[in-house]
Amino acid sequence: MADHWNRVLLLGSLILPVCSIAVNGNISQNCSDFQTSSWRNILQRLDLNVQFMLLTRRNPDCARPINVNNDFQSSNFNGSLPTKLILHGYRMTGSKPSWVDTLAKELISAMDVNVVIVDWIIGSTAVYHSAVQNSALLGFKISTLIANFIAHGSTKDSFHLIGISLGAHVAGIVGHIFKGKLGRITGLDPAGPKFSKASVNERLDPSDAIFVEAIHSDSDCFGISEPVGHIDFYLNGGKDQPGCTRPILSSGLLERGGLSADEQPKEVKAYLMTSSDLPFCVKHFLVEIFLKQLGLHDQRVEITFLSNNHSNISNLQLTIPNKQSSERTVRKVIPYVRFGNMDAITIELLSSWRRKRHTIHIAELRVRELPLNDRERPPCCINNIVTDEKIFFGQFGNCL
């Protein structure tokens, strides 16, 4: 028996130093977590105190602190990968948003990406009006970080900003700074108070990124009812969701925010694209048409996308604006089975008894698979399309 306990003690003496090393190793990794805010912070009117935390597949459980002046090459940041930024919104009590860790881990599990969590708890706590005022400065700080990422190998279209509530409009500010060249913005229940009557320059809108989507789930309380993206999803009408209780402060906040009790969201319908065969899933592609010369009146066209054996796979009807319009880019989403199978298009000018066909001049027609962050599938293009015929045929090539 004595020998048995001697062996146990010996084993314990070997294990304890290893455990100590492991614990100290965790500490030495300098893992970050959200800051905490209090009324003392608010009364002292501290700086915005933004904190950026990086998660990757190399450190999925230990967020590493980064800042705009970091040498990113010494961190786990990889400029060749897509980058997701998570932005929380207004925090009444200064508590950590519980959903952020789960979302970050799901993103890392789904694909090899950089995930940056934006912690602005100090500037988003207690007084909503002050949080709104802080959003512009926060947008500038985030844009500075993104500019440094770009200097270390990232491309503008590889960024995906995911913002909830007030964070959705902060994402819009960042997108506006980059003139709409960032890849994607997802607005999760974008905030309504202070933004419902705001101009498009003051809130999230479709011009803030190449692709902007929004999910409305509380538009009769804290969320905005107006559409703010290229596509807006109104879950269960965009109002109260099954199983969710109405916040106690909802009526008072509605009164202070500029939302009226009888305000209704605009009707926006979202359609899910499917194929006719099992498993019915299709990929989605962004079609971008960059116009060069416009005619005297709008021109309806139908674009047919063809496979390499010239079979008809997908069709798109759209309107080319007239020369009075300030728009020079048309963006639409189409379903398609396989990207590599797309070979050519035909463009048919659709005339009517009221309007004759006229020449259209397209500088470039570009097709990219969504989401816009897979470098293994580069975009394909047809350049310098000039036609006044009923049918134009052109084959895809590399983009210039």
Side-chain angles (χ1 to χ4, degrees), residues 138-192:
L138 175 62
F140 175 77
K141 288 181 178 292
I142 294 173
S143 65
T144 302
L145 179 74
I146 291 177
N148 283 326
F149 282 154
I150 293 172
H152 286 80
S154 295
T155 59
K156 292 178 181 178
D157 64 3
S158 70
F159 287 94
H160 178 192
L161 278 62
I162 305 170
I164 187 169
S165 188
L166 184 53
H169 296 299
V170 175
I173 292 172
V174 178
H176 183 74
I177 292 174
F178 284 94
K179 303 185 185 303
K181 301 297 184 182
L182 299 182
R184 182 180 179 186
I185 293 177
T186 300
L188 304 175
D189 203 31

Short mmCIF file of all heavy atoms in Angstrom, two decimals, residues 138-192:
data_model
loop_
_atom_site.label_atom_id
_atom_site.label_comp_id
_atom_site.label_asym_id
_atom_site.label_seq_id
_atom_site.Cartn_x
_atom_site.Cartn_y
_atom_site.Cartn_z
N LEU A 138 -16.30 55.87 -33.94
CA LEU A 138 -16.05 54.43 -34.01
C LEU A 138 -15.85 54.00 -35.46
O LEU A 138 -14.95 53.22 -35.77
CB LEU A 138 -17.21 53.66 -33.38
CG LEU A 138 -17.15 52.14 -33.49
CD1 LEU A 138 -15.93 51.60 -32.76
CD2 LEU A 138 -18.42 51.51 -32.95
N GLY A 139 -16.70 54.50 -36.36
CA GLY A 139 -16.56 54.17 -37.78
C GLY A 139 -15.20 54.57 -38.32
O GLY A 139 -14.59 53.84 -39.12
N PHE A 140 -14.70 55.73 -37.89
CA PHE A 140 -13.38 56.18 -38.35
C PHE A 140 -12.28 55.25 -37.84
O PHE A 140 -11.36 54.89 -38.58
CB PHE A 140 -13.13 57.61 -37.86
CG PHE A 140 -11.75 58.13 -38.16
CD1 PHE A 140 -11.41 58.54 -39.45
CD2 PHE A 140 -10.77 58.17 -37.18
CE1 PHE A 140 -10.13 59.00 -39.73
CE2 PHE A 140 -9.49 58.63 -37.45
CZ PHE A 140 -9.18 59.04 -38.74
N LYS A 141 -12.36 54.85 -36.57
CA LYS A 141 -11.34 53.96 -36.00
C LYS A 141 -11.34 52.61 -36.71
O LYS A 141 -10.28 52.03 -36.97
CB LYS A 141 -11.58 53.78 -34.50
CG LYS A 141 -11.25 55.03 -33.66
CD LYS A 141 -11.49 54.76 -32.20
CE LYS A 141 -11.11 55.97 -31.34
NZ LYS A 141 -9.65 56.21 -31.32
N ILE A 142 -12.54 52.08 -37.01
CA ILE A 142 -12.62 50.80 -37.71
C ILE A 142 -12.05 50.93 -39.12
O ILE A 142 -11.33 50.04 -39.60
CB ILE A 142 -14.07 50.30 -37.75
CG1 ILE A 142 -14.57 49.98 -36.34
CG2 ILE A 142 -14.20 49.06 -38.64
CD1 ILE A 142 -16.04 49.65 -36.26
N SER A 143 -12.34 52.03 -39.79
CA SER A 143 -11.83 52.22 -41.15
C SER A 143 -10.31 52.32 -41.16
O SER A 143 -9.65 51.87 -42.10
CB SER A 143 -12.46 53.46 -41.77
OG SER A 143 -12.05 54.64 -41.08
N THR A 144 -9.73 52.91 -40.10
CA THR A 144 -8.28 52.97 -40.00
C THR A 144 -7.68 51.57 -39.86
O THR A 144 -6.65 51.24 -40.48
CB THR A 144 -7.85 53.83 -38.79
OG1 THR A 144 -8.40 55.14 -38.93
CG2 THR A 144 -6.33 53.93 -38.69
N LEU A 145 -8.32 50.73 -39.06
CA LEU A 145 -7.88 49.35 -38.92
C LEU A 145 -7.96 48.61 -40.25
O LEU A 145 -7.02 47.90 -40.65
CB LEU A 145 -8.73 48.63 -37.87
CG LEU A 145 -8.39 47.16 -37.63
CD1 LEU A 145 -7.09 47.04 -36.84
CD2 LEU A 145 -9.52 46.45 -36.90
N ILE A 146 -9.08 48.76 -40.97
CA ILE A 146 -9.25 48.08 -42.25
C ILE A 146 -8.20 48.55 -43.25
O ILE A 146 -7.64 47.76 -44.03
CB ILE A 146 -10.67 48.31 -42.79
CG1 ILE A 146 -11.68 47.56 -41.92
CG2 ILE A 146 -10.80 47.87 -44.24
CD1 ILE A 146 -13.13 47.78 -42.32
N ALA A 147 -7.89 49.85 -43.25
CA ALA A 147 -6.87 50.37 -44.16
C ALA A 147 -5.52 49.72 -43.90
O ALA A 147 -4.77 49.40 -44.83
CB ALA A 147 -6.78 51.89 -44.01
N ASN A 148 -5.21 49.47 -42.62
CA ASN A 148 -3.95 48.78 -42.30
C ASN A 148 -4.00 47.32 -42.70
O ASN A 148 -2.99 46.75 -43.12
CB ASN A 148 -3.65 48.92 -40.80
CG ASN A 148 -3.10 50.29 -40.43
OD1 ASN A 148 -2.38 50.89 -41.22
ND2 ASN A 148 -3.44 50.77 -39.25
N PHE A 149 -5.16 46.69 -42.57
CA PHE A 149 -5.30 45.32 -43.06
C PHE A 149 -5.04 45.25 -44.56
O PHE A 149 -4.39 44.34 -45.06
CB PHE A 149 -6.71 44.79 -42.77
CG PHE A 149 -6.93 44.36 -41.34
CD1 PHE A 149 -8.19 44.38 -40.79
CD2 PHE A 149 -5.88 43.91 -40.56
CE1 PHE A 149 -8.42 43.98 -39.48
CE2 PHE A 149 -6.08 43.50 -39.25
CZ PHE A 149 -7.35 43.54 -38.70
N ILE A 150 -5.58 46.23 -45.28
CA ILE A 150 -5.39 46.26 -46.74
C ILE A 150 -3.90 46.43 -47.07
O ILE A 150 -3.39 45.83 -48.02
CB ILE A 150 -6.23 47.39 -47.35
CG1 ILE A 150 -7.72 47.06 -47.21
CG2 ILE A 150 -5.88 47.62 -48.82
CD1 ILE A 150 -8.66 48.19 -47.61
N ALA A 151 -3.21 47.23 -46.26
CA ALA A 151 -1.77 47.40 -46.47
C ALA A 151 -0.99 46.12 -46.21
O ALA A 151 0.15 45.98 -46.66
CB ALA A 151 -1.25 48.52 -45.56
N HIS A 152 -1.62 45.16 -45.51
CA HIS A 152 -0.97 43.88 -45.21
C HIS A 152 -1.57 42.74 -46.03
O HIS A 152 -1.55 41.59 -45.60
CB HIS A 152 -1.06 43.57 -43.72
CG HIS A 152 -0.14 44.40 -42.88
ND1 HIS A 152 -0.44 45.69 -42.52
CD2 HIS A 152 1.10 44.14 -42.35
CE1 HIS A 152 0.56 46.19 -41.78
NE2 HIS A 152 1.50 45.27 -41.67
N GLY A 153 -2.11 43.06 -47.20
CA GLY A 153 -2.49 42.01 -48.14
C GLY A 153 -3.97 41.80 -48.36
O GLY A 153 -4.35 41.06 -49.28
N SER A 154 -4.84 42.39 -47.56
CA SER A 154 -6.28 42.20 -47.76
C SER A 154 -6.76 43.04 -48.95
O SER A 154 -6.14 44.03 -49.34
CB SER A 154 -7.06 42.63 -46.51
OG SER A 154 -6.76 41.79 -45.41
N THR A 155 -7.88 42.63 -49.52
CA THR A 155 -8.54 43.42 -50.55
C THR A 155 -9.86 43.96 -50.00
O THR A 155 -10.44 43.37 -49.09
CB THR A 155 -8.84 42.58 -51.80
OG1 THR A 155 -9.68 41.47 -51.45
CG2 THR A 155 -7.55 42.05 -52.42
N LYS A 156 -10.32 45.06 -50.54
CA LYS A 156 -11.53 45.69 -50.01
C LYS A 156 -12.74 44.76 -50.06
O LYS A 156 -13.55 44.72 -49.14
CB LYS A 156 -11.83 46.98 -50.77
CG LYS A 156 -10.81 48.09 -50.54
CD LYS A 156 -11.13 49.33 -51.34
CE LYS A 156 -10.08 50.41 -51.11
NZ LYS A 156 -10.35 51.62 -51.94
N ASP A 157 -12.85 43.99 -51.15
CA ASP A 157 -14.03 43.15 -51.28
C ASP A 157 -13.97 41.88 -50.45
O ASP A 157 -14.91 41.08 -50.44
CB ASP A 157 -14.31 42.81 -52.75
CG ASP A 157 -13.22 41.97 -53.39
OD1 ASP A 157 -12.26 41.60 -52.69
OD2 ASP A 157 -13.32 41.70 -54.60
N SER A 158 -12.87 41.69 -49.69
CA SER A 158 -12.77 40.51 -48.81
C SER A 158 -13.32 40.78 -47.42
O SER A 158 -13.33 39.90 -46.58
CB SER A 158 -11.32 40.05 -48.70
OG SER A 158 -10.53 40.97 -47.97
N PHE A 159 -13.80 42.01 -47.17
CA PHE A 159 -14.30 42.37 -45.85
C PHE A 159 -15.82 42.21 -45.77
O PHE A 159 -16.55 42.60 -46.69
CB PHE A 159 -13.93 43.82 -45.50
CG PHE A 159 -12.47 43.99 -45.17
CD1 PHE A 159 -11.57 44.37 -46.15
CD2 PHE A 159 -12.00 43.76 -43.89
CE1 PHE A 159 -10.22 44.51 -45.87
CE2 PHE A 159 -10.66 43.90 -43.59
CZ PHE A 159 -9.77 44.27 -44.58
N HIS A 160 -16.25 41.62 -44.68
CA HIS A 160 -17.68 41.42 -44.39
C HIS A 160 -17.94 41.97 -43.00
O HIS A 160 -17.43 41.44 -42.01
CB HIS A 160 -18.03 39.94 -44.48
CG HIS A 160 -19.45 39.63 -44.16
ND1 HIS A 160 -19.90 38.33 -43.94
CD2 HIS A 160 -20.54 40.41 -44.01
CE1 HIS A 160 -21.20 38.36 -43.68
NE2 HIS A 160 -21.61 39.62 -43.71
N LEU A 161 -18.72 43.05 -42.91
CA LEU A 161 -19.05 43.66 -41.63
C LEU A 161 -20.43 43.17 -41.18
O LEU A 161 -21.41 43.26 -41.94
CB LEU A 161 -19.06 45.18 -41.74
CG LEU A 161 -17.70 45.90 -41.65
CD1 LEU A 161 -16.78 45.48 -42.78
CD2 LEU A 161 -17.88 47.40 -41.65
N ILE A 162 -20.50 42.66 -39.96
CA ILE A 162 -21.75 42.15 -39.40
C ILE A 162 -22.08 43.00 -38.18
O ILE A 162 -21.38 42.93 -37.16
CB ILE A 162 -21.62 40.67 -38.99
CG1 ILE A 162 -21.15 39.82 -40.19
CG2 ILE A 162 -22.94 40.15 -38.44
CD1 ILE A 162 -20.77 38.40 -39.81
N GLY A 163 -23.12 43.83 -38.29
CA GLY A 163 -23.45 44.74 -37.20
C GLY A 163 -24.88 44.57 -36.75
O GLY A 163 -25.79 44.43 -37.58
N ILE A 164 -25.09 44.55 -35.44
CA ILE A 164 -26.43 44.43 -34.90
C ILE A 164 -26.88 45.78 -34.34
O ILE A 164 -26.09 46.50 -33.73
CB ILE A 164 -26.51 43.34 -33.81
CG1 ILE A 164 -27.96 43.10 -33.38
CG2 ILE A 164 -25.66 43.68 -32.61
CD1 ILE A 164 -28.17 41.88 -32.51
N SER A 165 -28.14 46.13 -34.58
CA SER A 165 -28.75 47.34 -34.06
C SER A 165 -27.93 48.57 -34.45
O SER A 165 -27.72 48.84 -35.63
CB SER A 165 -28.91 47.22 -32.54
OG SER A 165 -29.66 48.29 -32.02
N LEU A 166 -27.44 49.33 -33.49
CA LEU A 166 -26.63 50.51 -33.80
C LEU A 166 -25.35 50.13 -34.54
O LEU A 166 -24.84 50.90 -35.37
CB LEU A 166 -26.30 51.25 -32.49
CG LEU A 166 -25.53 52.56 -32.59
CD1 LEU A 166 -26.19 53.52 -33.55
CD2 LEU A 166 -25.39 53.19 -31.21
N GLY A 167 -24.83 48.93 -34.27
CA GLY A 167 -23.64 48.46 -34.96
C GLY A 167 -23.83 48.32 -36.46
O GLY A 167 -22.88 48.44 -37.23
N ALA A 168 -25.08 48.09 -36.90
CA ALA A 168 -25.36 48.00 -38.34
C ALA A 168 -25.12 49.34 -39.02
O ALA A 168 -24.58 49.42 -40.13
CB ALA A 168 -26.79 47.53 -38.56
N HIS A 169 -25.52 50.42 -38.37
CA HIS A 169 -25.31 51.75 -38.94
C HIS A 169 -23.84 52.16 -38.87
O HIS A 169 -23.36 52.89 -39.75
CB HIS A 169 -26.20 52.77 -38.23
CG HIS A 169 -27.67 52.51 -38.41
ND1 HIS A 169 -28.28 52.51 -39.65
CD2 HIS A 169 -28.64 52.22 -37.51
CE1 HIS A 169 -29.57 52.24 -39.49
NE2 HIS A 169 -29.80 52.06 -38.21
N VAL A 170 -23.13 51.70 -37.84
CA VAL A 170 -21.69 51.93 -37.78
C VAL A 170 -21.02 51.25 -38.99
O VAL A 170 -20.13 51.83 -39.62
CB VAL A 170 -21.08 51.41 -36.47
CG1 VAL A 170 -19.56 51.53 -36.49
CG2 VAL A 170 -21.65 52.17 -35.27
N ALA A 171 -21.46 50.05 -39.31
CA ALA A 171 -20.94 49.36 -40.50
C ALA A 171 -21.21 50.18 -41.75
O ALA A 171 -20.37 50.25 -42.66
CB ALA A 171 -21.58 47.98 -40.62
N GLY A 172 -22.38 50.83 -41.80
CA GLY A 172 -22.69 51.70 -42.93
C GLY A 172 -21.75 52.88 -43.01
O GLY A 172 -21.35 53.30 -44.11
N ILE A 173 -21.39 53.47 -41.86
CA ILE A 173 -20.44 54.58 -41.84
C ILE A 173 -19.09 54.13 -42.40
O ILE A 173 -18.47 54.83 -43.22
CB ILE A 173 -20.27 55.12 -40.41
CG1 ILE A 173 -21.57 55.79 -39.93
CG2 ILE A 173 -19.10 56.10 -40.32
CD1 ILE A 173 -21.56 56.19 -38.47
N VAL A 174 -18.63 52.96 -41.98
CA VAL A 174 -17.36 52.43 -42.48
C VAL A 174 -17.44 52.20 -43.98
O VAL A 174 -16.53 52.57 -44.73
CB VAL A 174 -17.00 51.12 -41.76
CG1 VAL A 174 -15.71 50.53 -42.32
CG2 VAL A 174 -16.87 51.34 -40.25
N GLY A 175 -18.54 51.60 -44.43
CA GLY A 175 -18.70 51.37 -45.86
C GLY A 175 -18.71 52.66 -46.65
O GLY A 175 -18.17 52.74 -47.77
N HIS A 176 -19.34 53.70 -46.10
CA HIS A 176 -19.38 55.01 -46.78
C HIS A 176 -17.98 55.59 -46.90
O HIS A 176 -17.64 56.20 -47.92
CB HIS A 176 -20.30 55.95 -45.99
CG HIS A 176 -20.47 57.28 -46.64
ND1 HIS A 176 -21.25 57.47 -47.77
CD2 HIS A 176 -19.97 58.52 -46.32
CE1 HIS A 176 -21.22 58.75 -48.12
NE2 HIS A 176 -20.46 59.40 -47.26
N ILE A 177 -17.15 55.42 -45.87
CA ILE A 177 -15.77 55.92 -45.91
C ILE A 177 -15.00 55.26 -47.05
O ILE A 177 -14.19 55.90 -47.72
CB ILE A 177 -15.07 55.68 -44.55
CG1 ILE A 177 -15.70 56.58 -43.47
CG2 ILE A 177 -13.57 55.93 -44.65
CD1 ILE A 177 -15.19 56.31 -42.07
N PHE A 178 -15.28 53.98 -47.29
CA PHE A 178 -14.60 53.25 -48.38
C PHE A 178 -15.38 53.32 -49.69
O PHE A 178 -15.14 52.53 -50.60
CB PHE A 178 -14.37 51.80 -47.97
CG PHE A 178 -13.23 51.62 -47.00
CD1 PHE A 178 -13.46 51.58 -45.63
CD2 PHE A 178 -11.92 51.52 -47.45
CE1 PHE A 178 -12.42 51.44 -44.73
CE2 PHE A 178 -10.88 51.37 -46.56
CZ PHE A 178 -11.11 51.34 -45.19
N LYS A 179 -16.32 54.26 -49.78
CA LYS A 179 -17.06 54.55 -51.02
C LYS A 179 -17.76 53.32 -51.58
O LYS A 179 -17.83 53.14 -52.80
CB LYS A 179 -16.13 55.17 -52.06
CG LYS A 179 -15.43 56.43 -51.59
CD LYS A 179 -14.61 57.08 -52.69
CE LYS A 179 -13.83 58.27 -52.16
NZ LYS A 179 -14.67 59.31 -51.54
N GLY A 180 -18.26 52.46 -50.69
CA GLY A 180 -19.05 51.32 -51.12
C GLY A 180 -18.25 50.18 -51.72
O GLY A 180 -18.83 49.28 -52.34
N LYS A 181 -16.93 50.18 -51.54
CA LYS A 181 -16.07 49.16 -52.17
C LYS A 181 -15.85 47.93 -51.30
O LYS A 181 -15.28 46.94 -51.77
CB LYS A 181 -14.71 49.76 -52.53
CG LYS A 181 -14.78 50.95 -53.48
CD LYS A 181 -15.38 50.57 -54.83
CE LYS A 181 -15.34 51.74 -55.79
NZ LYS A 181 -15.96 51.40 -57.10
N LEU A 182 -16.28 47.97 -50.03
CA LEU A 182 -16.15 46.77 -49.19
C LEU A 182 -17.09 45.68 -49.70
O LEU A 182 -18.12 45.97 -50.30
CB LEU A 182 -16.46 47.10 -47.73
CG LEU A 182 -15.55 48.14 -47.07
CD1 LEU A 182 -15.94 48.34 -45.61
CD2 LEU A 182 -14.08 47.74 -47.17
N GLY A 183 -16.75 44.43 -49.42
CA GLY A 183 -17.47 43.32 -50.03
C GLY A 183 -18.92 43.19 -49.59
O GLY A 183 -19.83 43.10 -50.41
N ARG A 184 -19.16 43.22 -48.27
CA ARG A 184 -20.51 42.87 -47.80
C ARG A 184 -20.77 43.46 -46.42
O ARG A 184 -19.87 43.54 -45.59
CB ARG A 184 -20.63 41.34 -47.73
CG ARG A 184 -21.98 40.79 -47.32
CD ARG A 184 -21.90 39.28 -47.31
NE ARG A 184 -23.14 38.64 -46.90
CZ ARG A 184 -23.30 37.33 -46.70
NH1 ARG A 184 -22.26 36.52 -46.87
NH2 ARG A 184 -24.46 36.82 -46.33
N ILE A 185 -21.99 43.90 -46.22
CA ILE A 185 -22.46 44.32 -44.90
C ILE A 185 -23.74 43.58 -44.58
O ILE A 185 -24.65 43.51 -45.41
CB ILE A 185 -22.71 45.84 -44.83
CG1 ILE A 185 -21.39 46.62 -44.97
CG2 ILE A 185 -23.40 46.22 -43.52
CD1 ILE A 185 -21.57 48.13 -44.98
N THR A 186 -23.80 43.00 -43.39
CA THR A 186 -25.02 42.37 -42.90
C THR A 186 -25.52 43.16 -41.71
O THR A 186 -24.82 43.27 -40.69
CB THR A 186 -24.76 40.91 -42.48
OG1 THR A 186 -24.28 40.16 -43.60
CG2 THR A 186 -26.04 40.27 -41.96
N GLY A 187 -26.71 43.73 -41.83
CA GLY A 187 -27.32 44.48 -40.74
C GLY A 187 -28.34 43.61 -40.03
O GLY A 187 -29.34 43.20 -40.63
N LEU A 188 -28.08 43.30 -38.77
CA LEU A 188 -29.00 42.49 -37.97
C LEU A 188 -29.89 43.42 -37.16
O LEU A 188 -29.44 44.07 -36.22
CB LEU A 188 -28.21 41.54 -37.06
CG LEU A 188 -27.22 40.61 -37.76
CD1 LEU A 188 -26.44 39.82 -36.73
CD2 LEU A 188 -27.95 39.67 -38.71
N ASP A 189 -31.14 43.52 -37.56
CA ASP A 189 -32.11 44.39 -36.91
C ASP A 189 -31.53 45.80 -36.72
O ASP A 189 -31.38 46.29 -35.59
CB ASP A 189 -32.54 43.82 -35.55
CG ASP A 189 -33.90 44.36 -35.12
OD1 ASP A 189 -34.71 44.66 -36.00
OD2 ASP A 189 -34.13 44.50 -33.91
N PRO A 190 -31.19 46.50 -37.83
CA PRO A 190 -30.62 47.85 -37.71
C PRO A 190 -31.48 48.76 -36.84
O PRO A 190 -32.71 48.72 -36.91
CB PRO A 190 -30.58 48.33 -39.17
CG PRO A 190 -30.53 47.07 -39.98
CD PRO A 190 -31.36 46.08 -39.23
N ALA A 191 -30.83 49.59 -36.04
CA ALA A 191 -31.53 50.43 -35.07
C ALA A 191 -32.48 51.41 -35.74
O ALA A 191 -32.19 51.95 -36.81
CB ALA A 191 -30.51 51.18 -34.22
N GLY A 192 -33.62 51.65 -35.08
CA GLY A 192 -34.61 52.59 -35.58
C GLY A 192 -34.50 53.98 -34.97
O GLY A 192 -34.43 54.97 -35.70
#
